[in-house]
Amino acid sequence: MHVISFEEPGRVRVGLEPPADLQPGCVRVRTIYSGVSAGTELTAYRGTNPYLGRKWDTERRLFVDGQTHAYPLTGWGYQEVGEVVEAAPDVAGPPVGSLVWGIWGHRAEAVVPAERLAGHLLPPGADPLTGVFARVGAIALNAVHAADVHLGDQIAIFGQGVIGLLATRMAVLSGARVVAADAIPARLELARQYGAAETFDVSSGDVGSGSVAEYVRKRIEGADTAIELSGSHQGLHEAIRTVRRGGRVVAAGFYQGDGIGLRLGEEFHHNQVQLVSSQIGGVASWLAHRWDVERLQRTFMELVQRGEIEVLDLVSHVVPVERAAEAFDLIDLHPSEVLQLVFQFEEQQ
């Protein structure tokens, strides 16, 4: 069975692993598609992920000396969809033959506890490709929740990759007026299709408007909230500059290395900006009594299934799993050419 491994920074191998034994309470799922998270997975591909150089102490919730993960990293993957082909005798559901979404890594087959797939069935007739968006959609929804969106709020969203575009759409569905910022014109066009009221090309700037912050402040006296999803420290700094006094910035990107370009003695200090972290390991603390990550995922997939969010337009590449090395090289060296890349496990079709 094919499985993708990061052997070392910059080197990907598509190897084989034996089928796992079917355990009580589990089902066997054969993968149809597996989606790539260009942000998180590139940190493993490039060797910049903090877990590779530091140990995460789960009790104290601190990074300490040591190492959490080491190469080779096998089966990393952000969202998979597949067919249930076998179930243990004690499993009532999901039924054999059903299509399910979940996380079991870039591998052709997995044995998964059935309880982890409860509520993860795709409805009859659904395109299996929609299933690879459950996790990234939950990340976007988590960021929108952390922004505490209110009807009529003015929101700037930095970064219009897959998660940024989904956040734009859900902020609009929540009643916000969105200004979307990115450096890639094609993504800004998608942002307009997803309901953004205005867009801003950060690579050149709109004529006579200067920075995003200057543009937004000139037109609406500053955003109520900004969501930063580019993963750039400069983007986070500009998001801070963009909000009104006392405004909120949701830092939802996966920032790597030192914070070069992030100057906290300027607008952050003088405008008393709220800086909130959003990460898919949990929901906003003030919502934890009602929401969890599982509910985020299911809610997003319900929006997709009802037709309120169109995700298939975000798929830029469907690549045979055998070409995984080329695919990660493409994402690393030519990110502007890729939106959502998906691995296809053709032997399962």
Side-chain angles (χ1 to χ4, degrees), residues 67-344:
Q67 190 176 46
T68 306
H69 296 309
Y71 292 103
L73 302 170
T74 300
W76 276 46
Y78 227 63
Q79 188 66 64
E80 287 70 52
V81 59
E83 180 185 2
V84 177
V85 295
E86 187 180 8
D90 60 338
V91 170
V96 172
S98 59
L99 297 184
V100 294
W101 51 267
I103 300 175
W104 53 83
H106 296 311
R107 47 174 39 93
E109 182 181 288
V111 170
V112 183
E115 64 181 14
R116 281 174 43 191
L117 299 176
H120 288 207
L121 272 69
L122 289 176
D127 190 319
L129 268 176
T130 61
V132 305
F133 288 92
R135 189 70 168 182
V136 290
I139 293 170
L141 180 55
N142 206 27
V144 172
H145 279 186
D148 194 23
V149 179
H150 299 270
L151 183 65
D153 274 354
Q154 307 277 357
I155 296 184
I157 300 183
F158 290 75
Q160 295 296 304
V162 172
I163 298 175
L165 286 163
L166 295 175
T168 292
R169 179 59 183 156
M170 286 186 280
V172 170
L173 289 175
S174 301
R177 183 184 187 279
V178 175
V179 176
D182 200 280
I184 301 173
R187 296 184 180 182
L188 294 175
E189 176 57 34
L190 275 171
R192 286 188 283 270
Q193 294 176 26
Y194 272 38
E198 298 183 66
T199 59
F200 190 96
D201 186 341
V202 300
S203 65
S204 58
D206 291 353
V207 177
S209 58
S211 68
V212 184
E214 292 167 327
Y215 176 82
V216 171
R217 288 183 177 279
K218 181 183 298 184
R219 295 179 68 82
I220 57 173
E221 300 181 0
D224 298 295
T225 305
I227 301 175
E228 208 300 305
L229 278 159
S230 73
S232 159
H233 292 103
Q234 292 90 342
L236 182 56
H237 182 73
E238 191 65 14
I240 289 170
R241 296 183 70 230
T242 300
V243 297
R244 299 166 181 255
R245 182 173 185 176
R248 173 174 296 183
V249 173
V250 177
F254 192 6
Y255 306 96
Q256 301 294 297
D258 296 333
I260 305 301
L262 179 60
R263 299 183 295 278
L264 298 181
E266 298 181 4
E267 288 85 3
F268 175 74
H269 182 71
H270 288 77
N271 286 333
Q272 300 170 292
V273 174
Q274 302 174 40
L275 183 58
V276 176
S277 173
S278 176
Q279 196 266 351
I280 197 57
V283 302
S285 59
W286 57 92
L287 295 175
H289 62 295
R290 295 190 288 117
W291 284 84
D292 57 19
V293 175
E294 180 63 24
R295 185 180 175 189
L296 290 174
Q297 294 182 136
R298 292 186 188 182
T299 298
F300 175 78
M301 290 303 294
E302 288 168 6
L303 290 169
V304 171
Q305 290 156 16
R306 292 201 302 263
E308 296 186 55
I309 300 177
E310 174 56 61
V311 294
L312 295 181
D313 290 344
L314 303 181
V315 178
S316 59
H317 296 74
V318 178
V319 178
V321 65
E322 295 87 352
R323 293 173 52 198
E326 300 172 45
F328 279 105
D329 188 60
L330 174 66
I331 297 170
D332 185 33
L333 299 179
H334 305 282
S336 65
E337 298 178 12
V338 184
L339 199 50
Q340 179 63 63
L341 187 143
V342 177
F343 291 124
Q344 183 175 27

Side-chain angles (χ1 to χ4, degrees), residues 48-69:
T48 62
N49 192 291
Y51 288 105
L52 294 168
R54 301 280 283 170
K55 182 176 178 59
W56 177 243
D57 186 321
T58 55
E59 292 186 2
R60 292 188 291 167
R61 300 197 65 79
L62 289 171
F63 279 101
V64 297
D65 291 338
Q67 190 176 46
T68 306
H69 296 309

